[in-house]
Amino acid sequence: MSGEYILKVVVVGDLAVGKTSLVVRYAENKFPTSYKPTIGADIMVKMVDLKGKKVRLAIWDIAGHETFQKIRRYYYQGAAGALILYDVTNPESFEHVKDWYEDVVTHCGKIPVVLIGNKIDLKDQRKITTEQGIKKAEEMGLSKFLETSAKTGANVHTAFVSIIEEVLKIT
Ligand code: G3D
Ligand code: MG
């Protein structure tokens, strides 16, 4: 098999869990220092070579909840996979994972979903343990679970490779 895969991946989760930071870290390998709230949706395109497969990955990053309602349908349309993020220092964002998952399933059906606990560099402020994350992913039947830091870059690359691998498995 040759040729190019074109994959759309959506990144969802509560406001301020680090969605934009994670996407920017992956796509540009830097941590954004000035916080600029997204308007509508930002789409980042990255060419990825994975085990001989060329993937044109379009990563969709949403804005805050208010503007999201208006573009919800358009945002999810055609997504092959999703990253659901929570902030390991923010239990509310962890509780909302199930709501985000319902949202994904409603609009995309049962596409691969990788669950991500972000901000693991904030060790002293951590409220959600790795075990809790693993348990949640298992209970919900999500494809994979990972913990990341957009700040240090820990596991960021792996997070995006994981979702591509999960999607290509079923493509
Ligand atoms: P969002 O796109 O999900 O809304 P952002 O979230 O990427 O805008 O990040 C929200 C805040 O969390 C930002 O801080 C950002 O710098 C911070 N952040 C994101 N990821 C990490 C991480 O891995 N570690 C740490 N320590 N901080 C992170 P500000 O202060 O600009 O609001
Ligand atoms: Mg954002």
Side-chain angles (χ1 to χ4, degrees):
M1 276 282 284
S2 63
E4 189 181 283
Y5 294 82
I6 299 173
L7 299 183
K8 170 176 174 176
V9 164
V10 290
V11 183
V12 296
D14 279 7
L15 193 64
V17 294
K19 298 180 297 297
T20 302
S21 302
L22 194 86
V23 173
V24 171
R25 165 61 77 191
Y26 176 63
E28 297 173 12
N29 196 26
K30 67 181 187 212
F31 185 66
T33 43
S34 69
Y35 173 53
K36 214 170 72 191
T38 351
I39 304 156
D42 285 332
I43 304 158
M44 206 87 74
V45 179
K46 194 172 164 93
M47 291 303 304
V48 185
D49 263 305
L50 197 69
K51 295 173 189 154
K53 287 173 177 155
K54 276 201 196 324
V55 178
R56 182 185 296 270
L57 187 67
I59 309 162
W60 287 53
D61 171 31
I62 45 160
H65 298 286
E66 323 74 43
T67 45
F68 183 51
Q69 291 304 332
K70 294 179 198 149
I71 62 154
R72 184 175 293 260
R73 184 190 288 250
Y74 170 67
Y75 186 78
Y76 282 114
Q77 200 166 56
L83 298 182
I84 300 180
L85 259 73
Y86 65 91
D87 170 352
V88 297
T89 72
N90 178 350
E92 212 185 341
S93 73
F94 185 63
E95 277 165 35
H96 291 160
V97 163
K98 63 177 187 315
D99 303 323
W100 285 109
Y101 182 61
E102 270 176 32
D103 213 35
V104 169
V105 172
T106 300
H107 291 88
C108 308
K110 292 224 170 234
I111 58 172
V113 172
V114 173
L115 179 63
I116 294 174
N118 187 42
K119 306 198 188 180
I120 54 168
D121 58 287
L122 299 174
K123 293 190 178 74
D124 301 343
Q125 296 167 50
R126 190 199 264 262
K127 303 263 168 34
I128 306 298
T129 64
T130 304
E131 289 67 31
Q132 283 174 287
I134 293 170
K135 192 158 171 256
K136 168 95 73 184
E138 276 174 5
E139 282 169 2
M140 294 176 62
L142 304 182
S143 313
K144 263 181 192 165
F145 168 71
L146 280 169
E147 291 186 323
T148 59
S149 168
K151 188 167 187 177
T152 68
N155 261 342
V156 173
H157 188 78
T158 311
F160 286 92
V161 168
S162 293
I163 190 66
I164 297 171
E165 284 178 346
E166 290 302 313
V167 169
L168 291 186
K169 255 190 219 169
I170 61 158
T171 302

